[in-house]
Amino acid sequence: MPIIAPSMLSADFLKLGEEIDMINNSEADWFHLDVMDGRFVPNISYGMPIISQMKKRAKKTFDVHLMVVEPERYLEEFKKAGADYLTVHYETGFHLHRTLTSIKALGMKAGLSINPHTPVDMVKDIIHEIDLLLIMSINPGFGGQKFLPLTYNKIRQAKEMIVKARASTLIEIDGGVTLENAADIVAAGTDVLVAGNTVFSSPDPLGTIKKLKQIGK
Ligand code: DX5
Ligand code: ZN
């Protein structure tokens, strides 16, 4: 059974409280929160003030995905805002080993994300420092994009690397996850499914989350 992490980027921000309650009452496991700076990605979303407000109402793990340059400047602030998992991008870091150990020293789980063009192998030497490996299955920046099929190979490679290293890293897939492709994504070795559009554009979000959760059961 995969961990389900609905992406709040696709929520209705005018009804944010109700959307949070819906996730609280669903079979979802985590809240996936996308922070975008308009520099690492061509879009700007929300930051710490919104996340700390959401934390007051949400009852599940906060999985914060930073799509920002120089993420190491904000680790403590995201901890204060309520992040449980804090994920930075491989492509933004000169000193990722340090950043990952700093995240853990602050009491959070450390995530590392790779864009579609970044080979899985690039994270091999630091795999034991990574609690969550977020493999982007779209080019980050926007919800509602189409899943890139090249991701399947990356999931299999990542799974093999993690097993070989006897690491406990979770594999998370983010972007274009649907009810149609989710079973194949999980079969390839995925532990955590992020779903934005598939959940929030559904006429029955609770039912959609339930279906995602039942995969591989
Ligand atoms: C995009 C974000 C995703 C996004 C996924 O850069 O990282 O989390 O919300 O949205 P869907 O599931 O609609 O592709
Ligand atoms: Zn994301």
Side-chain angles (χ1 to χ4, degrees):
M1 264 203 303
I3 291 168
I4 307 300
S7 169
M8 300 309 285
L9 192 64
S10 299
D12 182 343
F13 292 128
L14 284 178
K15 299 185 192 155
L16 198 48
E18 290 164 45
E19 300 277 53
I20 291 169
D21 290 343
M22 185 275 286
I23 302 297
N24 281 340
N25 295 326
S26 77
E27 290 180 35
D29 303 275
W30 296 356
F31 285 82
H32 184 80
L33 302 159
D34 291 300
V35 179
M36 305 178 181
D37 68 350
R39 293 189 66 209
F40 178 63
V41 288
N43 194 10
I44 299 176
S45 57
Y46 51 79
M48 308 81 164
I50 302 284
I51 292 176
S52 52
Q53 285 294 105
M54 290 171 76
K55 188 75 179 180
K56 292 182 192 158
R57 186 128 163 191
K59 298 193 178 114
K60 295 178 178 182
T61 298
F62 268 25
D63 170 31
V64 178
H65 177 193
L66 296 185
M67 286 161 275
V68 307
V69 298
E70 299 176 9
E72 62 281 356
R73 291 171 57 191
Y74 311 105
L75 307 182
E76 209 171 333
E77 284 180 73
F78 280 104
K79 168 69 186 171
K80 279 189 203 143
D84 298 296
Y85 280 80
L86 190 61
T87 296
V88 301
H89 263 265
Y90 171 84
E91 299 81 10
T92 64
F94 292 122
H95 302 288
L96 290 169
H97 182 276
R98 179 186 295 150
T99 305
L100 294 169
T101 48
S102 303
I103 291 172
K104 288 193 279 195
L106 286 165
M108 296 175 283
K109 298 276 190 187
L112 187 63
S113 181
I114 54 172
N115 273 343
H117 73 268
T118 300
V120 164
D121 260 8
M122 303 307 278
V123 307
K124 196 169 148 205
D125 289 351
I126 53 168
I127 194 70
H128 288 281
E129 301 302 331
I130 306 171
D131 295 307
L132 181 69
L133 177 61
L134 197 178
I135 302 175
M136 287 306 307
S137 40
I138 53 163
N139 285 296
F142 304 92
Q145 300 184 72
K146 210 169 166 292
F147 182 88
L148 295 168
L150 63 86
T151 313
Y152 289 117
N153 248 335
K154 300 178 83 153
I155 302 168
R156 285 190 282 266
Q157 286 167 10
K159 185 74 188 175
E160 200 186 315
M161 175 199 298
I162 291 162
V163 170
K164 231 181 185 170
R166 294 172 191 270
S168 50
T169 313
L170 295 174
I171 298 174
E172 179 174 45
I173 293 299
D174 186 7
V177 173
T178 65
L179 287 175
E180 287 71 42
N181 62 20
D184 287 344
I185 295 170
V186 170
T190 301
D191 303 292
V192 187
L193 290 174
V194 174
N197 211 50
T198 292
V199 167
F200 289 99
S201 299
S202 162
D204 175 19
L206 289 174
T208 299
I209 292 169
K210 193 182 185 68
K211 282 185 191 152
L212 290 170
K213 190 68 194 170
Q214 274 163 359
I215 287 167
K217 214 178 167 184

